[in-house]
Amino acid sequence: MTFLVTGATGTVGRHIVDELVRDGRRVRALTRDPGRAAMPAGVEVVAGDLTMTDSLASAFDGVTAVHLINFGGDDYGLLRNGREIVDLAAKAGVRRVTVLGGWDEGTLEPAVRDGGLEWTFVHPTEFMSNALKWAEPIRIEGVVREPFGDATTAMVHEADIAAVAARALVEDGHAGRTYGLTGPERLSTRDKVRVIGETIGRPVEFVELTEGQARERMAAEGQQQELIDFLIGVFGNVPEEPNIVNDTVERVTGRPARTFARWVAEHADAFRP
């Protein structure tokens, strides 16, 4: 069996590749830039772009199970060609699919549901890797400036997301399920900054911005207004249900979800001068 991982160089995709390789599976990794993929030995790397269906035909050849993401392109927009991707996968003989989804559904999810495949949707809450946006200001100033200091999320380790997706690809019993994934604790923005400081052994100050200051900063950084409104909306009024801590990671993988402190320890060098 060949397992195809799309978005293979991404935050979650690379961990899925590693999980499948450790499990002794034959892995094919799809990326837009194979020359920069740096995959483990034995992984077949192929070029393709999820937003361009014609570029995917050879990638699906001989594949039994595939991990898909519901976004693509430089702007990470929702895929518009979900039906074409699913039709291509089914024609190639793919039987099982996992889909990493975000806040919204695009064309891919309904096509997968109707496509006659064994499907599993993976819906994580906030990625722990989002904290890397604070790495530079922490290294340089020892300060994090953000709005909504009391906003809490149940951040999940990207490797745990990958472990769940990999289990769903290789095991029976996951078809037709949607897994909402959280970490083991719910932390506020202040908590996250505190954990980083404690873990790296260096004081990190949290400075709370007003919503207006946050909007001005994001605009100055070149963020589009639509994205600014989305981020302010999400963190200004954190959705409750996706951030209720659950044990899905442990139930699917057999081990507890990783803590944010562990994630920080794994990436400590990014935060140190």
Side-chain angles (χ1 to χ4, degrees), residues 144-169:
V144 169
R145 296 178 175 87
E146 290 289 347
F148 315 124
D150 297 321
T152 62
T153 65
M155 300 176 92
V156 60
H157 197 303
E158 51 272 19
D160 286 336
I161 303 169
V164 170
R167 290 300 93 202
L169 284 173

Side-chain angles (χ1 to χ4, degrees), residues 105-249:
E105 284 198 358
T107 62
L108 183 61
E109 288 89 345
V112 167
R113 291 190 191 99
D114 297 337
L117 306 174
E118 297 179 24
W119 57 264
T120 305
F121 293 157
V122 180
H123 289 173
T125 184
E126 185 188 10
F127 290 12
M128 290 182 181
S129 58
N130 285 356
L132 287 172
K133 67 183 178 182
W134 298 332
E136 184 174 353
I138 289 175
R139 286 197 309 269
I140 296 173
E141 303 178 84
V143 175
V144 169
R145 296 178 175 87
E146 290 289 347
F148 315 124
D150 297 321
T152 62
T153 65
M155 300 176 92
V156 60
H157 197 303
E158 51 272 19
D160 286 336
I161 303 169
V164 170
R167 290 300 93 202
L169 284 173
V170 304
E171 296 176 349
D172 295 331
H174 303 284
R177 297 180 181 272
T178 297
Y179 289 131
L181 305 181
T182 74
E185 57 193 339
R186 191 162 175 169
L187 299 172
S188 70
T189 304
R190 299 178 198 276
D191 293 332
K192 296 165 191 174
V193 173
R194 172 184 53 78
V195 169
I196 293 172
E198 290 174 351
T199 304
I200 67 174
R202 180 189 178 202
V204 179
E205 180 185 1
F206 174 72
V207 175
E208 187 165 21
L209 302 179
T210 66
E211 178 181 328
Q213 290 171 328
R215 286 182 177 275
E216 289 178 5
R217 185 182 68 181
M218 287 188 279
E221 292 170 347
Q223 303 282 10
Q224 297 296 315
Q225 188 61 49
E226 183 178 358
L227 178 59
I228 294 173
D229 291 340
F230 171 77
L231 293 173
I232 292 295
V234 166
F235 290 101
N237 185 21
V238 176
E240 181 66 20
E241 185 174 351
N243 288 289
I244 298 173
V245 172
N246 62 50
D247 64 349
T248 304
V249 170

